[in-house]
Amino acid sequence: MPTLPELHRLVTVSDIDGRTFPSRIEDLGPGMLVLARPLNLPLDHEFAPGRLLFVSWPDPDGLTTATGTLVGTRSRGPLGLWDVQQVGELGRSQRRQFVRVPALGPIELLGGGDPGAPFAHLAGHLLDLSEAGLRCAVRREDARRLAPAMVLTASFALEGKRFELPAQVLRSEPDRRDADAVELVLTFDIGEADAAELRRLVFAEQLRQRRESA
């Protein structure tokens, strides 16, 4: 059975127009979710009480969702809070939603994860990142050594922490900014512990970028 998220869990808030915003559980009560005001919501834009919202968070079995109504907004120091009254029962979907942030820095792709697979050791740079995968750019001639569904190890650093994660090549696309480069989309095959750590760092990186752009 799906259960409510724990305190300080990172969640995604969606509205009836299909817009999605990252948030976090700040408090829980009977039938009530207290959310942090989404970081990427413009400061001059507020949702009025009565708006229907959908709150979701990943778990090992997929995506748990809660439908609720925004009943009020308030502040706790510099932190804006949304009080959301739960409507109906929790639901579950196999489809996950992931917050993706721009990411900078070098990445190494190490091949040979499958028996008999050709070895590849490619250097590139990160473009964006989520707990589900990443996008990076590599030289076009290096990308020819890769194939869809090829198993790799993606080695990169985020917020000073080094990750070496198993990943698969999902697809490659031309790099519109560099004719000699190719963009690779990789998906991770990782457990919940690594996913949770990436989720936490992605949220922190999003907050840092928001502060720098303010």
Side-chain angles (χ1 to χ4, degrees):
M1 291 290 293
T3 59
L4 288 172
E6 63 271 20
L7 198 62
H8 303 312
R9 180 67 185 269
L10 302 183
V11 297
T12 298
V13 180
S14 307
D15 66 7
I16 58 176
D17 297 320
R19 295 175 296 177
T20 60
F21 308 96
S23 183
R24 184 177 58 207
I25 299 292
E26 293 296 330
D27 204 354
L28 293 166
M32 184 72 70
L33 301 174
V34 180
L35 308 178
R37 184 185 189 277
L39 295 174
N40 60 342
L41 193 69
L43 292 175
D44 59 352
H45 184 87
E46 284 293 348
F47 283 178
R51 178 175 287 267
L52 190 65
L53 298 174
F54 308 96
V55 185
S56 59
W57 55 94
D59 59 41
D61 296 318
L63 188 75
T64 299
T65 58
T67 301
T69 301
L70 180 63
V71 296
T73 62
R74 52 195 171 92
S75 297
R76 181 192 295 159
L79 180 65
L81 298 176
W82 285 4
D83 293 325
V84 177
Q85 181 72 51
Q86 185 180 337
V87 178
E89 301 296 325
L90 297 177
R92 172 161 289 158
S93 169
Q94 295 303 311
R95 180 178 179 271
R96 294 190 179 200
Q97 300 177 17
F98 302 101
V99 176
R100 184 176 294 272
V101 295
L104 299 175
I107 182 172
E108 287 187 299
L109 303 179
L110 311 175
D114 284 339
F119 181 79
H121 182 175
L122 310 183
H125 61 271
L126 285 167
L127 298 174
D128 59 42
L129 178 70
S130 78
E131 68 180 87
L134 60 82
R135 194 164 53 95
C136 65
V138 300
R139 293 190 307 166
R140 181 177 296 275
E141 62 181 79
D142 288 339
R144 295 192 182 102
R145 301 163 62 187
L146 306 178
M150 184 176 182
V151 177
L152 301 167
T153 297
S155 177
F156 60 93
L158 181 65
E159 294 289 316
K161 179 178 176 61
R162 171 62 56 177
F163 289 91
E164 293 189 355
L165 303 176
Q168 279 190 309
V169 180
L170 181 62
R171 64 180 183 273
S172 62
E173 304 167 345
D175 190 327
R176 289 170 291 181
R177 296 158 300 182
D178 186 349
D180 294 326
V182 168
E183 292 184 6
L184 297 177
V185 178
L186 307 181
T187 59
F188 296 137
D189 181 16
I190 57 178
E192 179 60 22
D194 283 329
E197 179 66 3
L198 271 175
R199 194 180 308 132
R200 182 185 69 81
L201 293 175
V202 164
F203 187 84
E205 176 65 12
Q206 188 177 54
L207 178 59
R208 184 190 67 79
Q209 293 176 11
R210 166 83 183 270
R211 286 171 173 165
E212 289 186 351
S213 64

